[in-house]
Every structure is written in C-alpha cells, then in structure tokens.
C-alpha cells in the first residue's frame, strides 16, 4: 500500500489539506471551480444552505446545498499552476486517508465544473455566449510532468496542431485533452456553444497580446484562427481548463469547463459589463450539475 510522507502530502494541524485548508468531510462530490475569489460568494449566495466557509490565500471555499444537491465552490486564482494545487488537493481529500496517509480502498469520483470567462477566437462567436470546452489545449506543459499523459491525450490532434503552428521547441509542448462527455451532455443544451479551447499560460504574450514587447510569433492568433482538424476549430482562450480536465482524467474524476465569452479577439470587441451574464451561467450550471 502506497504511503504518502509528510513532505509530499502536507496536512495542517487541524486535519485540513495544506493550501485549501479544507477537511475531507467538508468536500462535496459536486465541485464548482471559479477563478475569482470574489465569485465564490456570488455562487454561494444562490445556495439554499451553507455548512462551511474556509479561506486561505486565493482559495476561498463554501460547501452548501442547492435544490437538494450538495455542492462545493472553490476559487482557484488564475492559471494552471494553481490548478495543479487545487485538483491534487481535492483528490487527496476524496481519496487519501489523511491520518493513515494511505490511499483509500474505495475511491470517490468527483464532478468538477469550471465556470469562467474567456475570449472568443472566431469572428462569428457572439459576446455573451456560453461556450463549453469539448477539448482543451494546454499551452502550460503542466500535464507533461505526470505519468500517463499520453494515455489520456489526443496525440494526433497535438501533432496536427504543432505542425500547423510551426511550434517553437523552446516552448512547452502543448497537450490536448477531452473534457468529460458525461458532464458536457448533462450541462450542455442548445443554449450553449461547444468548441476547442486553448488554456494559455499567460494573459498577454501567450495569448497574442502586444503591448511594449513584440511577440516571438506575431502571427500566432492568425494561425490559431485558421487551424482546422477533423472538422474542428479553436474557439476561445482561457487559462485553467486544460489542467482541470487533464488531471481529472488521470485521477478518474469527471471535469469540464464552460465560460462566458466576454471578448472576441478576432473582431477586437469586449464587454466589461459581463457580470449579470456570468451570474446567469452560474445559476444554469447549478440547476444542471
């Protein structure tokens, strides 16, 4: 039986997991992830009941119920590096005995849904759309540190994408991961678009934004817009979904990302008054998760 020493699995004195400060009994099977710590309160305000509220650094957590379903909402902050912390600690809460420091004999399977915002990468994607990531492309390289990544990734898609982009070998190799089909069919209806999403490892240069420094590839977004593979095209940018889907696939959890499109990079349009639309997306996911 695998044993997890204190240096690898850090447990706080109160029995909570190191970064999240959440205890195993405080975690629901249905988990909503949001980037903004302030958005946790927005989600939790829609709950019928709240049983716990925990905060540490950028990680705010509330567990409660909505229409009889027990749900945990957690803020992750920005970026896949934070997702590496959040998803690993969620899995530890679910599937490791934190006292004995051993894997549990019966494993829990979590439903993990990221609700976020994104920028559209095709001219025909309207502002305010709800867009589900059927596939996620990770620019961060995080999943490449884990054994088994090839078994859960779409290797032919990766190859075609790198060839089309003339991928710079100095960058992390992109990975392509499917989101949970079961969750997509449960949450996705005709009021949501579906597509292929890039999870970028930055907001400016890695998403093709140019301020004072030119990019290594000034045509990156033109290449992304023109990419096609087996009838699929890249629809949007965000910053966390690939790591959520990838780690969840390796650990046996279901995961998906759905975002509200608040900008369209290809027509240079943006909507800064997007919060009411995001609240509508939150309530929609709560009703369907």
């Amino acid at each position: 039986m695998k044993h997890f020493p204190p240096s690898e699995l850090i447990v706080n004195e109160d029995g909570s997991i190191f970064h999240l400060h959440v205890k195993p009994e405080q975690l629901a099977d249905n988990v909503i992830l949001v980037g903004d710590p302030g958005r946790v309160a927005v989600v939790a305000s829609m709950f019928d009941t709240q049983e716990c509220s925990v905060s540490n650094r950028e990680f705010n957590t509330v567990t409660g119920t909505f229409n009889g379903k027990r749900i945990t909402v957690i803020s992750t902050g920005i970026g896949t590096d934070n997702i590496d912390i959040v998803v690993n600690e969620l899995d530890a809460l679910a599937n490791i005995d934190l006292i004995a420091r051993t894997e549990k004999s019966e494993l829990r399977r979590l439903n993990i849904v990221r609700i976020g915002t994104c920028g559209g990468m095709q001219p025909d994607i309207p502002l305010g759309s709800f867009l589900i990531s059927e596939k996620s492309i990770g620019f961060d390289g995080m999943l490449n540190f884990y054994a088994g990544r090839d078994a859960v990734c779409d290797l032919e898609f990766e190859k075609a994408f790198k060839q089309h982009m003339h991928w710079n070998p100095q960058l992390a190799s992109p990975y392509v991961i499917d989101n949970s089909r079961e969750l997509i069919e449960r949450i996705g209806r005709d009021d949501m678009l579906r597509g292929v999403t890039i999870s970028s490892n930055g907001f400016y240069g890695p998403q093709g934004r140019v301020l004072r420094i030119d990019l290594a590839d000034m045509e990156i977004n033109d290449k992304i817009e023109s990419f096609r593979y087996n009838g699929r095209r890249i629809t949007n940018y965000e910053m966390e979904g690939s790591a959520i889907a990838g780690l969840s696939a390796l650990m046996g959890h279901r995961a998906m990302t759905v975002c509200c499109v608040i900008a369209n990079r290809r027509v240079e349009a943006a909507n800064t008054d997007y919060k009411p639309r995001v609240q509508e997306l939150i309530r929609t996911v709560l009703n369907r998760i």
Side-chain angles (χ1 to χ4, degrees):
M1 184 178 293
K2 191 172 184 180
H3 182 266
F4 307 97
S7 61
E8 310 305 293
L9 176 65
I10 303 175
V11 180
N12 300 314
E13 290 184 0
D14 64 355
S16 64
I17 199 73
F18 184 52
H19 294 93
L20 300 183
H21 280 217
V22 174
K23 299 177 182 179
E25 64 271 17
Q26 295 173 323
L27 176 65
D29 288 340
N30 297 306
V31 181
I32 290 176
L33 300 182
V34 295
D36 181 359
R39 197 169 288 160
V40 170
V42 176
V43 178
S45 70
M46 301 181 189
F47 288 175
D48 301 317
T49 65
Q50 296 184 27
E51 64 183 70
C52 71
S53 178
V54 181
S55 294
N56 183 53
R57 300 191 182 189
E58 60 266 62
F59 309 115
N60 292 345
T61 302
V62 175
T63 294
T65 60
F66 180 88
N67 289 347
K69 295 173 289 189
R70 190 167 182 253
I71 298 172
T72 295
V73 55
I74 301 176
S75 59
T76 65
I78 298 174
T80 54
D81 49 347
N82 277 11
I83 297 303
D84 185 63
I85 291 172
V86 172
V87 175
N88 270 288
E89 294 198 357
L90 287 176
D91 182 71
L93 289 167
N95 293 317
I96 296 176
D97 184 324
L98 299 188
I99 298 175
R101 295 184 168 277
T102 57
E103 186 178 64
K104 295 178 180 178
S105 57
E106 294 186 11
L107 301 181
R108 288 172 66 187
R109 192 176 196 186
L110 303 175
N111 297 315
I112 303 173
V113 179
R114 160 167 153 70
I115 301 175
T117 57
C118 70
M121 284 301 295
Q122 299 294 334
D124 60 326
I125 296 177
L127 296 181
S129 300
F130 298 158
L131 201 161
I132 288 175
S133 305
E134 291 190 304
K135 286 182 178 289
S136 295
I137 304 175
F139 275 10
D140 53 288
M142 189 274 294
L143 203 68
N144 300 335
F145 285 89
Y146 289 91
R149 65 82 79 199
D150 284 0
V152 299
C153 288
D154 188 333
L155 303 183
E156 291 303 313
F157 196 117
E158 291 176 8
K159 181 180 178 181
F161 179 73
K162 287 190 287 187
Q163 288 177 342
H164 176 83
M165 297 294 294
H166 302 289
W167 195 255
N168 184 344
Q170 290 184 310
L171 303 177
S173 183
Y175 57 93
V176 178
I177 184 78
D178 288 328
N179 287 245
S180 166
R181 178 56 50 187
E182 183 174 335
L183 282 182
I184 289 172
E185 294 305 321
R186 184 189 307 178
I187 292 173
R189 308 281 171 82
D190 57 7
D191 56 354
M192 296 183 181
L193 305 176
R194 301 186 185 190
V196 178
T197 302
I198 291 174
S199 295
S200 179
N201 55 340
F203 184 78
Y204 290 97
Q207 292 188 35
R209 288 184 170 92
V210 181
L211 298 183
R212 293 187 59 243
I213 308 172
D214 282 347
L215 306 179
D217 182 356
M218 293 294 288
E219 298 179 351
I220 183 172
N221 282 347
D222 293 331
K223 294 176 183 177
I224 287 170
E225 182 185 342
S226 65
F227 175 73
R228 299 293 186 274
Y229 179 74
N230 284 349
R232 292 182 176 272
R233 60 180 185 163
I234 295 169
T235 49
N236 58 316
Y237 268 126
E238 53 85 66
M239 296 183 66
E240 290 86 31
S242 62
I244 295 169
L247 287 173
S248 295
L250 289 174
M251 296 171 178
H253 304 298
R254 303 182 189 93
M256 64 162 279
T257 289
V258 58
C259 289
C260 178
V261 180
I262 66 170
N264 190 304
R265 303 294 308 287
R266 307 313 291 157
V267 297
E268 299 182 338
N271 175 21
T272 56
D273 186 24
Y274 58 83
K275 291 184 179 180
R277 190 67 173 151
V278 171
Q279 290 178 9
E280 183 179 342
L281 176 58
I282 290 168
R283 187 168 293 278
T284 300
V285 172
L286 287 174
N287 275 303
R288 297 176 183 176
I289 193 171

